[in-house]
């Protein structure tokens, strides 16, 4: 029984550390904590799974290729092919946002990794 409890604690600890790592990326993109897809909050912006982890979506692949930083190229790109730049979807249509600053727009934030948002 003690072994089972220890294993459960280890799994829980690892999952919390993993979730924290993904949430830390939210500060590296404008409105990273405000992204929604079809009205649902999407914390794992770069992943197929809304909570992060697992397969990356098109934006997650592009973000990784950009060195996990918000660049002019990443901002200007349309990762999900929906006709809107990543910057427009994330509230930085002019691609001027810097980490820690307030984005130009903080409402009507859509998902740059899925073309249905």
């Amino acid at each position: 029984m003690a072994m089972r409890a220890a294993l459960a604690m280890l799994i829980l600890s690892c999952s919390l550390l993993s979730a924290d790592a993904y949430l830390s990326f939210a500060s590296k993109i404008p409105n990273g904590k405000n992204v929604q897809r079809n009205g649902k909050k999407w914390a794992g912006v770069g992943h197929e799974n809304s909570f992060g982890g697992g397969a990356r979506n098109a934006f997650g692949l592009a973000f990784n290729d950009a060195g996990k930083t918000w660049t002019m190229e990443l901002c200007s790109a349309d990762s999900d092919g929906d006709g809107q730049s990543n910057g427009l979807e994330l509230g930085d249509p002019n691609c001027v946002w810097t980490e820690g600053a307030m984005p130009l727009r903080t409402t009507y934030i859509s998902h740059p990794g899925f073309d249905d948002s």
Side-chain angles (χ1 to χ4, degrees), residues 3-73:
M3 179 67 104
R4 205 177 273 179
L7 181 59
M9 290 300 291
L10 177 64
I11 291 170
L12 178 61
S13 296
C14 288
S15 66
L16 291 175
L17 289 173
S18 176
D20 184 51
Y22 290 119
L23 294 177
S24 70
F25 290 134
S27 67
K28 298 197 173 291
I29 59 173
N31 287 300
K33 295 179 181 173
N34 299 325
V35 176
Q36 294 191 13
R37 180 181 183 204
N38 300 322
K40 178 182 173 188
K41 189 170 177 91
W42 203 276
V45 180
H47 295 272
E48 298 287 332
N49 177 345
S50 65
F51 297 105
R56 291 186 181 134
N57 58 40
F59 178 76
L61 294 171
F63 180 67
N64 188 63
D65 289 347
K68 297 181 176 81
T69 59
W70 188 245
T71 64
M72 178 65 78
E73 181 180 51

Side-chain angles (χ1 to χ4, degrees), residues 29-30 59 62-63 66 69-79 84-97 112:
I29 59 173
F59 178 76
F63 180 67
T69 59
W70 188 245
T71 64
M72 178 65 78
E73 181 180 51
L74 180 62
C75 178
S76 301
D78 177 12
S79 293
Q84 299 180 53
S85 71
N86 295 330
L88 181 62
E89 292 200 74
L90 293 173
D92 183 24
N94 302 321
C95 300
V96 296
W97 180 83

